Amino acid sequence: MDGSLSAGSERLTWAPKPAMVALSGVVALLAATAATWFALAGDPPGAVLFGVIAVFFGGTTLHGTVIRPRLLAEPSGVTVRTLGGQYRAPWRRVQCRVATTRRFGRNVRTLEIDIAADTVADDDELVVFGELELGADPHEVLEELEQRRA
């Protein structure tokens, strides 16, 4: 369950909404169909254009499916899933904040999770989530993370 308590445990999870992932898959299939149609019709530029669109949305669908849950909060700390693996950190190493930036004439909020290095040899990690990745408003997620931390 995205953004809510999981059944029978004290875990909160956030991930892209399943409807958005499914929509991305439908767009990928439609674009692949269009690319095939343009290729058979003898229009290479159209086939390439729709082929690129199909690959992009196919990758987005795969990413939204494989990297679930994207963010997990437990009493002991947080886990962040990326294509490079999982980052687990206890609450004492985690700093969370919402950043607001202006892009394309509108304010965009992102949740920034800064994970401090455990040892001197390690690097700090900064993970930035948008609303699409979390499936929820970053301010709401921050509030729930701070309640979980307390």
Side-chain angles (χ1 to χ4, degrees):
M1 299 172 75
D2 298 342
S4 61
L5 289 172
S6 299
S9 72
E10 297 180 17
R11 298 168 31 151
L12 290 168
T13 61
W14 293 273
K17 292 182 179 177
M20 292 299 291
V21 176
L23 179 62
S24 180
V26 168
V27 171
L29 288 173
L30 291 173
T33 302
T36 304
W37 186 81
F38 277 105
L40 294 174
D43 185 1
V48 170
L49 175 65
F50 280 101
V52 169
I53 293 169
V55 168
F56 173 79
F57 280 99
T60 302
T61 303
L62 183 63
H63 182 268
T65 302
V66 171
I67 307 296
R68 292 184 79 83
R70 189 78 167 96
L71 176 61
L72 169 71
E74 299 175 292
S76 61
V78 298
T79 301
V80 176
R81 292 190 65 184
T82 67
L83 288 176
Q86 291 186 8
Y87 298 102
R88 289 190 174 142
W91 286 113
R92 64 179 168 74
R93 292 183 30 219
V94 175
Q95 294 285 327
C96 302
R97 64 189 163 276
V98 172
T100 303
T101 55
R102 189 142 180 92
R103 293 193 180 130
F104 301 113
R106 66 183 204 103
N107 290 331
V108 177
R109 293 185 305 246
T110 55
L111 175 68
E112 296 180 352
I113 297 182
D114 193 2
I115 302 173
D118 197 21
T119 64
V120 177
D122 293 337
D123 290 330
D124 292 350
E125 295 290 335
L126 176 66
V127 186
V128 181
F129 298 103
E131 188 170 342
L132 286 175
E133 286 182 291
L134 294 170
D137 181 78
H139 277 294
E140 294 173 9
V141 175
L142 178 63
E143 288 175 13
E144 291 188 50
L145 287 174
E146 288 181 353
Q147 286 176 2
R148 175 59 44 138
R149 176 193 296 261

